[in-house]
Amino acid sequence: MTAEFAVTVPALLAVVGLVVAATGAARQSVALADAAAVVARQTARGDEAAVPGTLARLAPGASATSSVEGDLVCVRVERAVDVGPLAGVVALSSRSCAPGLGR
């Protein structure tokens, strides 16, 4: 009985740790998608000066790159996961586009 318990507890803790890390990564992914949408709108209307502050507020540690695709301004926001065993190993990215407003 003790041997089974000694094997089961660490395995259970590992599963719980991975579930917590995956939940944190999912939360960060949603925040990154929100940040990409806001930054795409800011960039499309010519407000590039506000982008660093927006990224710092909505997705700390993220970087953004933008491109023009036809009438759309597209932004890709990237950052590494910073939760649990996935920290620094898994990279998240999100892409959003907004109309270029006459560009």
Side-chain angles (χ1 to χ4, degrees):
M1 178 99 164
T2 303
E4 291 87 358
F5 185 73
V7 171
T8 304
V9 169
L12 182 62
L13 290 176
V15 169
V16 169
L18 285 174
V19 167
V20 168
T23 303
R27 182 188 56 78
Q28 290 177 11
S29 180
V30 169
L32 206 62
D34 290 343
V38 172
V39 168
R41 288 191 301 271
Q42 286 177 332
T43 304
R45 70 175 180 248
D47 194 12
E48 289 91 359
V51 169
T54 300
L55 284 178
R57 187 172 25 90
L58 297 178
S63 64
T65 56
S66 62
S67 63
V68 177
E69 299 175 12
D71 291 338
L72 297 176
V73 174
C74 296
V75 173
R76 177 174 297 280
V77 180
E78 299 176 333
R79 71 169 286 186
V81 173
D82 64 357
V83 176
L86 301 176
V89 177
V90 176
L92 299 173
S93 70
S94 183
R95 183 174 182 264
S96 185
C97 296
L101 299 177
R103 287 189 176 191

